[in-house]
Amino acid sequence: MEIILIFIFIMLGFLTGAVTGLVPGIHVNTIAALMVGVSAFLLNSFEISPIAIAVYIASTAITHSFFDYVPSLFLGVPNDEVFALLPGQKMVREGRGLEALQLSVLGSWNGLLYSLFTIAVILSISYLTLAPTQGSGSANNLVALLESAIRPYLFWILLVTSLVLIITERKKVWALTIFILSGLFGLVVFASPLVPGGSSAAFSALFPALTGLFGVSGLLLSLTEKNSELPFQEDKYSIGLKKSEVYMATARGTAAGMAVGLLPGLGGANAATLLFIIEEKLSKRREVNNGENYIVTTSAINTSDTLFGIAALYLIAKSRSGASVAIDQLLEEEITFWVFLPIVGALVLAGFFAKETLSNKKCGRLCTKIISSLKYKPLSVSMIAFMSLLVFFTTGFWGLLILICATALGMISPIINVRRAQAMGFFLVPVMLYFSGQQRWVTTALALDSKSSLPVYVEVKQIAIYFLISLAMGVFTYVVTSGFLTGKDRI
Amino acid sequence: MQGKAGNSVVIICLIVFAMTVSALWIGNRSFEYNEGETYPVISKFNLDESFQVGSVAKVHGEVQGVYLRANGMLIYNIKSTDGLKISVMLWPGLGELEKVNQGDELEVTGTLGKYKENLQIEPLSKESIVILKKGDQESSTDVVKLGQVRDHLGKFITIGPVKVQNVKTFTSNAGKTHLKFQVYQSNYVTDALMWEGNWTKEDEQQAKSGKEFYIRAKVSEFNNRISLEIERLEVK
């Protein structure tokens, strides 16, 4: 019975991830916030096993990482993975959109397999060489040992990483400014008691902050872009890369995704940027950064970052992504190997369904057709309306203010041609401050002493109503704006 | 978006950001918890019905130990009059705190939690920690070298980083099982003891792991030799 339930939840997670991945402007952490709410509902209303719900969250996260490339390609809405847009868009303009999609699916699927293989090797070697520990969720494994060895140096690792990301920008002063402002914003948000519900709430202050920085800001800017009609797309499902090139691109992506999945404060965008900077320095080969390799690598990074973010719960007993925070809150107790196993199974199955769906000619074409038939600007406006309303209903006036603040900050990077990943200073600065050991006096000096928000019990019915009202308003906005925001508003 | 239009949008964004982030900062600073709100006081007797992870409650008790982790996390181990033991977890984000010593009596209002069966409370803010009575025992959160512990006789101090050797358990005449070992740092070696109730199997395994530790201990003397009564072992 339990196995059937888990399978049903994998399917549900797959469907949720497919929808959220196809809708532009939805950040994976926004999904994680929604999933905490959904989990609470399932847990309280139906007394479903927390493992089944954890499986649902993992399936949603991994499927989202496969599908979110589709709107990036065919709608041209800047997502947070802005680095991956250009080569993909170029291929779409050449009529090779379906080939680009296949490259992304291949990168994501291979990234998933390579990541699982890496985890299996780590655990096997650890099992054979290290003595088991008792009572600790973080199994005695090589990753845990590595993590504890580098923990004293995390401040320096993150500082050097941030500096590399800043000094490799063309506009260094702007990059530094965005990074510092994002960090300051992060410190203010993390110290804030203004959004009720507590840090573990389904809709905490993080929800409007991330929605603004990486969602609404991109959607707003996309309204100002002039886009051409979607050109005819060749019905080509084969890819022009050699197998060895695919394997190498995936291996690079998996390694980078693993690094950021296990380190605090860093995201997939940071990993891709760092990887390409290192490769540019080490290699003169031109093909290293060609479009096809780029798509495979960045897709592998996305998937392995998602997977290692979740696996970190078992490997080092720490949450490293929105999805892992949601799972951690749900399971409360330490995650043992027997809890980790069904989660891994869910990741593989959901990833397999995602791969098969997007590789299937009929499904792939259908997804592409649906996405490209949508009117780009009305869709962006409706998404802004949907997310703003949801933020207002769930986090109140202060949440809306955080959303406005984050949106204003998130808009600056693309306009001044600085990588959007600089906004990850939102996480990196508070994390670095924590690992520096100097946080106590610095927060007092900046008058940023934190206060906790009080827990508020929100009925799931209420969340469902908020969600439905926001969704209805979003659809209404789409219908209304479709009337006048027409013309050349697609890629 | 490029050129003049782009510049204008950037300036507007910066102004909007500055205004909203200032409003948030002012909102944070002026935020006050509702003083009329009454939270349950957690004790050993009402633990089952009042202790709920994530809920807000109050705890009264005497500070048994003050412990500072390397990352700046400060922990007060407190014991209520009815014997309930709970750790007050003070994240560095709370800012600078008034100094609390062993023996002080505190009232803490915060969010309840549990880690490895140990009860925890995270204060809502630094104002949620009220020192009801100052104790007489002096305690320091500074890390002391093992060679300097004699200067702190009778006090609770943090020592480290040290390594541990000769880990053994022994049962006293009263039938209590204590954990006995030696701690060393450079050329200094000192006897140490963890009383029954203060140590777990996990502590014993940790002690045997060969890792480096910070230890929280009371410095005492036994047979004219310094002995450390260890309250907690923390891996460096």
Side-chain angles (χ1 to χ4, degrees), chain A residues 79-356:
Chain A
N79 211 333
D80 62 331
E81 284 79 18
V82 74
F83 53 84
L85 278 180
L86 299 174
Q89 275 188 324
K90 206 175 158 191
M91 289 179 78
V92 169
R93 287 193 184 113
E94 290 165 2
R96 295 163 62 205
L98 291 172
E99 189 189 338
L101 183 61
Q102 289 318 297
L103 285 166
S104 169
V105 172
L106 198 64
S108 296
W109 176 244
N110 284 348
L112 178 67
L113 294 183
Y114 283 29
S115 304
L116 288 171
F117 178 72
T118 310
I119 291 173
V121 169
I122 289 168
L123 291 181
S124 304
I125 297 175
S126 307
Y127 181 76
L128 293 172
T129 57
L130 302 172
T133 51
Q134 283 179 0
S136 172
S138 59
N140 193 12
N141 62 64
L142 295 174
V143 181
L145 288 180
L146 180 69
E147 198 267 344
S148 86
I150 63 167
R151 202 184 306 145
Y153 313 104
L154 264 178
F155 167 73
W156 295 106
I157 293 170
L158 296 174
L159 181 68
V160 169
T161 308
S162 307
L163 287 175
V164 168
L165 289 171
I166 290 166
I167 58 172
T168 50
E169 292 268 14
R170 278 189 201 157
K171 296 178 177 175
K172 295 175 182 55
V173 177
W174 268 114
L176 182 67
T177 308
I178 299 292
F179 184 80
I180 291 172
L181 290 180
S182 304
L184 184 71
F185 179 50
L187 289 172
V188 172
V189 169
F190 286 118
S192 178
L194 300 168
V195 172
S199 57
S200 59
F203 296 99
S204 67
L206 269 185
F207 174 49
L210 293 175
T211 304
L213 279 176
F214 302 113
V216 175
S217 56
L219 290 167
L220 267 178
L221 282 175
S222 71
L223 294 176
T224 65
E225 289 166 7
K226 283 190 177 176
N227 303 301
S228 54
E229 290 283 352
L230 185 73
F232 171 76
Q233 298 297 305
E234 289 171 36
D235 200 11
K236 190 184 168 194
Y237 269 71
S238 57
I239 57 164
L241 278 184
K242 286 182 202 161
K243 274 189 178 176
S244 59
E245 284 180 303
V246 173
Y247 295 150
M248 283 309 294
T250 309
R252 289 197 297 267
T254 307
M258 177 180 170
V260 294
L262 295 171
L263 285 171
L266 291 167
N270 304 112
T273 313
L274 278 172
L275 183 68
F276 292 125
I277 290 167
I278 293 167
E279 285 186 344
E280 265 179 20
K281 296 281 172 204
L282 293 180
S283 172
K284 298 285 176 202
R285 287 182 305 147
R286 296 194 85 195
E287 70 270 19
V288 166
N289 277 340
N290 74 17
E292 286 92 334
N293 268 304
Y294 197 84
I295 294 169
V296 174
T297 309
T298 50
S299 301
I301 289 174
N302 237 352
T303 315
S304 64
D305 179 29
T306 307
L307 193 141
F308 278 105
I310 294 171
L313 277 176
Y314 172 66
L315 294 172
I316 55 174
K318 291 189 170 68
S319 7
R320 288 286 186 256
S321 66
S324 67
V325 169
I327 294 173
D328 196 28
Q329 279 175 22
L330 186 75
L331 296 173
E332 285 179 8
E333 295 295 317
E334 293 165 356
I335 293 179
T336 61
F337 181 73
W338 300 110
V339 173
F340 183 56
L341 207 57
I343 294 176
V344 170
L347 291 167
V348 176
L349 268 181
F352 179 74
F353 292 147
K355 177 204 143 208
E356 286 301 307

Side-chain angles (χ1 to χ4, degrees), chain B residues 2 7 54 56 62 66 70 74 79 83 86 105 119 141 147 157 161-162 184 188 190 212 218 229:
Chain B
Q2 299 291 333
N7 291 342
V56 179
E62 190 187 290
V66 180
L74 193 60
K79 192 175 174 182
I86 190 161
E105 206 179 310
L119 307 183
T141 55
I157 52 168
V162 294
Y184 65 95
Y188 296 96
T190 307
E212 280 192 304
K218 185 179 178 184
E229 294 172 39

Side-chain angles (χ1 to χ4, degrees), chain A residues 133-137 145 148 151-152 174 177 181-182 184-185 187-189 191-194 200 221 224-225 332-334 398 401-402 404-409 411-412 414-417 434-441 443-444 446-455, chain B residues 1-2 5-7 9-10 12-14 16-21 23-34 37 39 53-56 68 70-74 90-97 111 115-117 122-127 201-202 205 211 235-236:
Chain A
T133 51
Q134 283 179 0
S136 172
L145 288 180
S148 86
R151 202 184 306 145
W174 268 114
T177 308
L181 290 180
S182 304
L184 184 71
F185 179 50
L187 289 172
V188 172
V189 169
S192 178
L194 300 168
S200 59
L221 282 175
T224 65
E225 289 166 7
E332 285 179 8
E333 295 295 317
E334 293 165 356
W398 290 107
L401 201 72
I402 291 173
I404 294 167
C405 190
T407 304
L409 187 61
M411 283 173 70
I412 301 173
I415 298 174
I416 54 172
N417 288 323
Y434 174 72
F435 283 107
S436 71
Q438 308 299 318
Q439 189 178 5
R440 209 170 280 287
W441 72 265
T443 45
T444 298
L446 296 171
L448 284 169
D449 305 326
S450 74
K451 292 175 182 173
S452 306
S453 65
L454 294 171
Chain B
M1 196 184 287
Q2 299 291 333
N7 291 342
V9 175
V10 169
I12 292 168
C13 286
L14 284 172
V16 172
F17 174 76
M19 284 169 65
T20 46
V21 92
L24 284 167
W25 182 79
I26 292 166
N28 288 356
R29 296 291 296 165
S30 54
F31 180 87
E32 280 178 16
Y33 296 99
N34 185 0
E37 189 79 53
Y39 298 110
V53 172
S55 65
V56 179
L68 179 68
N71 59 15
M73 166 81 98
L74 193 60
L90 301 132
W91 291 91
L94 284 172
E96 300 265 40
L97 303 164
T111 316
Y115 183 69
K116 292 183 182 174
E117 295 308 309
E122 282 180 27
L124 294 174
S125 68
K126 62 181 177 186
E127 289 79 24
K201 272 279 162 204
E202 206 178 345
Q205 281 172 350
K211 290 175 183 167
V235 179
K236 185 190 164 190

Side-chain angles (χ1 to χ4, degrees), chain A residues 3 19 110 218 421 450 484:
Chain A
I3 292 174
V19 173
N110 284 348
S450 74
F484 56 90

